[in-house]
Amino acid sequence: MQEDKTEIDTVSPKAPVSGMKIYFRLLGHVRSSWHYLVLSVVGYMIYAAMEPALAALLKHIVDTVSEGSIAENRHMIPLAILAVFVARGIGTFLGNYFMAKVANNVVYDLRTKMFNKLVRLPSSYYHSIPTGRLLAKLTYDTEQVIGSITQAIRVLLREGLTVVGLLGYMLYMNWRLSLLFLLVVPLIGLVVAYASKRFRKLSTRIQNAMGGVTDVASEAIKGHEVVKIFGGSDYEIGRFHHAAHENRRSQLKMEMTRALNTPIVQFILAIMMAILIWFALSPSISSHMSPGDFIAFLTAAGMLGKPIRQLTDVNSILQKGIAASYSIFDFLDLPEEVDQGQTSVNRFKGDIEWRSVSFSYPKAEKAALKNINLSLPAGKTLALVGRSGSGKSTIANLMPRFYNIDEGQISIDGISIDDYKLTELRSNIALVNQQVILFNGTIRDNIAYGHLRKTDDKEVIEAAIAANAWDFIQELDQGLDTMVGENGVLLSGGQRQRIAIARAILKNAPILILDEATSALDTESERAIQAALDGLMANRTTIAIAHRLSTIENADIIAVVDHGEIIEQGSHNELLALNGAYAQLHNQQFTETAD
Ligand code: ATP
Ligand code: MG
């Protein structure tokens, strides 16, 4: 089992915690709904009290008949029967409804806590776990918890109280016979203990398989074009079948254990009933019992069968919930992004310094950046050029502290970025990612995103104009209200980039990072944006990353990155004169365009 978990779950499992501890932690989330819980318990108590009441009523009927005192009880007994069932109905309603209320509150609580956690996790976590698995945690695992809470507590309370009520009644009627009955309980306990161990093991496996199912499905959906054109359907189908098969197999094993559990427990109970009746029929034990007592006692013993069976079944449900809670609490306990910075800042001037900065991605063997030294005065532009995979985006991603640097220091206005408050640091940086990210919403929502949400249309339009996006937005039927689809699928690549640039322009931050921001555009659109950006860059510090060197020729400093190191830096003319790596890159592109 442990092997399975490490194989599928990329997050290392914590030291095993006891099931009880997990369950108590889960119950901790119930605390805020305690009044509903009380109502529910009251409901189940009413329900449970009605079972022995029925047995007692039966005794009354039998005694009435055998004593021949029918006349005075003729009206009483039918009314009593109705009263018992009305009370039982009210008890059931109160118990079930308020228990559902508690459970849904807990799931709501867990889901929102998990999502709050999700947005506070360090970037490295998002890379360490497939999206499908994360989604399964938020949906499937929390659903498992709802099942565990409602059903398990419902059965534990309702059936548990019923057992207490019935046993109490039996002890009151004939304690010796009752003690005999109680002898079986340890035997049932053994069966249940074995079953629950197995249930938990299988539940974790089902959960992982469920994560596998969502993983494969979400990848196949996102990558549907690649799947089609590269003939990946069979491969993806195979992967999906494997995951679904794994799920079915574990699910069936679980049902098998459950299906065997019930008849075995039932059989043990039947043996006990047989022995009980054998003893009960011996005159020495039951001589003082009336026929009514006798019938009521056996009825109560028979009535115990159902709640005891349900109580043993509750384990599978409980184990499912505990397995799901493991996964949820593991997630909730993940460390959040470190934010120990104290320095408050309103708006940066924009002097940036890199001092011997080295960095490796978590779990990566090779360093992504080695000993980077650069200084970028406020208001100037730094261009990063170099081969694919050389580390340009990494330099950009360290600025907003998506990752923590291993060695050296990046400082802004003379203070290390680690010392600024994280949100304030980030609010001073506008970033256009290499992979444009748009949200499923309108164009307006996407330009005026996050803190900018309340910006009025006039400013949004100004930003769209500066990003050379207004022309195409105007041509759309719904203008700014046009829905862009998930990740902007309803727009072209270049249109998406321009929306992202407009978003960055609207943010109006003192530091602007453009990572291949215009790579998907034609030369004409690029030039138009460049003109707008030049105006924008005039009073802010800019880091621009580009493969097309023509777009960065005017940068104040050009740095050539190679294998994580800066191998050359200077202005366009200086670097050409140097006749090194930059000159070589430049000549290559120049001859390409001349061709
Ligand atoms: P490109 O021009 O293709 O965008 P780049 O210069 O921006 O390339 P980076 O994205 O900075 O390159 O990547 C630098 C190195 O770091 C690469 O070797 C890459 O394999 C590695 N790398 C990038 N992102 C991660 C990550 N999340 N985890 C581990 N390694 C990464
Ligand atoms: Mg890059």
Side-chain angles (χ1 to χ4, degrees), residues 398-444:
L398 290 183
M399 291 296 304
R401 270 170 55 196
F402 291 148
Y403 297 92
N404 289 320
I405 50 179
D406 304 329
E407 271 173 59
Q409 173 176 310
I410 303 176
S411 57
I412 300 178
D413 297 346
I415 298 175
S416 159
I417 54 170
D418 291 337
D419 295 338
Y420 288 111
K421 289 184 179 155
L422 199 55
T423 43
E424 292 178 8
L425 169 73
R426 287 179 182 167
S427 73
N428 271 285
I429 299 174
L431 168 69
V432 179
N433 284 101
Q434 191 165 11
Q435 276 126 4
V436 175
I437 301 294
L438 296 187
F439 297 93
N440 193 1
T442 64
I443 290 184
R444 179 190 295 102

Side-chain angles (χ1 to χ4, degrees), residues 471-593:
D471 284 347
F472 89 82
I473 296 174
Q474 258 183 325
E475 282 170 21
L476 297 167
D477 286 342
Q478 266 124 13
L480 281 177
D481 292 314
T482 311
M483 298 293 289
V484 300
E486 190 179 324
N487 208 12
V489 285
L490 304 178
L491 300 176
S492 79
Q495 288 171 338
R496 263 178 260 166
Q497 276 198 331
R498 281 178 279 172
I499 302 280
I501 293 173
R503 184 194 290 161
I505 291 176
L506 187 65
K507 186 167 178 185
N508 189 24
I511 296 174
L512 179 64
I513 303 175
L514 304 165
D515 193 350
E516 299 283 357
T518 53
S519 60
L521 300 181
D522 58 286
T523 328
E524 195 186 320
S525 307
E526 186 167 42
R527 211 164 284 151
I529 295 182
Q530 210 62 51
L533 285 180
D534 284 344
L536 202 72
M537 288 175 188
N539 51 1
R540 66 199 71 218
T541 314
T542 309
I543 302 172
I545 300 173
H547 279 291
R548 231 182 283 170
L549 299 184
S550 57
T551 57
I552 49 92
E553 274 174 13
N554 297 327
D556 301 290
I557 308 164
I558 298 172
V560 183
V561 188
D562 191 57
H563 287 100
E565 290 175 281
I566 307 267
I567 51 169
E568 274 175 25
Q569 57 174 305
S571 71
H572 175 68
N573 289 330
E574 286 167 3
L575 290 181
L576 278 189
L578 200 67
N579 204 16
Y582 180 79
Q584 203 185 339
L585 277 175
H586 181 80
N587 288 340
Q588 273 169 8
Q589 292 199 1
F590 183 72
T591 40
E592 271 166 25
T593 39

Side-chain angles (χ1 to χ4, degrees), residues 388-394 397 434 515-516 545 547:
S388 176
S390 53
K392 305 180 296 295
S393 297
T394 307
N397 287 339
Q434 191 165 11
D515 193 350
E516 299 283 357
I545 300 173
H547 279 291

Side-chain angles (χ1 to χ4, degrees), residues 230-277:
F230 287 96
S233 312
D234 289 343
Y235 173 67
E236 294 298 335
I237 287 173
R239 278 213 307 163
F240 190 83
H241 281 200
H242 178 74
H245 172 76
E246 196 52 41
N247 190 10
R248 176 180 61 180
R249 211 167 58 115
S250 312
Q251 201 95 46
L252 279 178
K253 277 192 185 164
M254 180 120 165
E255 291 306 325
M256 163 89 93
T257 315
R258 196 200 320 248
L260 278 176
N261 189 36
T262 308
I264 289 175
V265 169
Q266 249 171 344
F267 188 62
I268 296 176
L269 279 173
I271 294 174
M272 212 43 233
M273 276 300 271
I275 297 176
L276 200 63
I277 291 179

Side-chain angles (χ1 to χ4, degrees), residues 324-345:
S325 311
Y326 266 125
S327 135
I328 290 177
F329 290 140
D330 259 4
F331 182 79
L332 286 176
D333 290 341
L334 288 171
E336 295 185 3
E337 270 186 314
V338 209
D339 182 13
Q340 285 160 344
Q342 298 290 326
T343 313
S344 224
V345 62

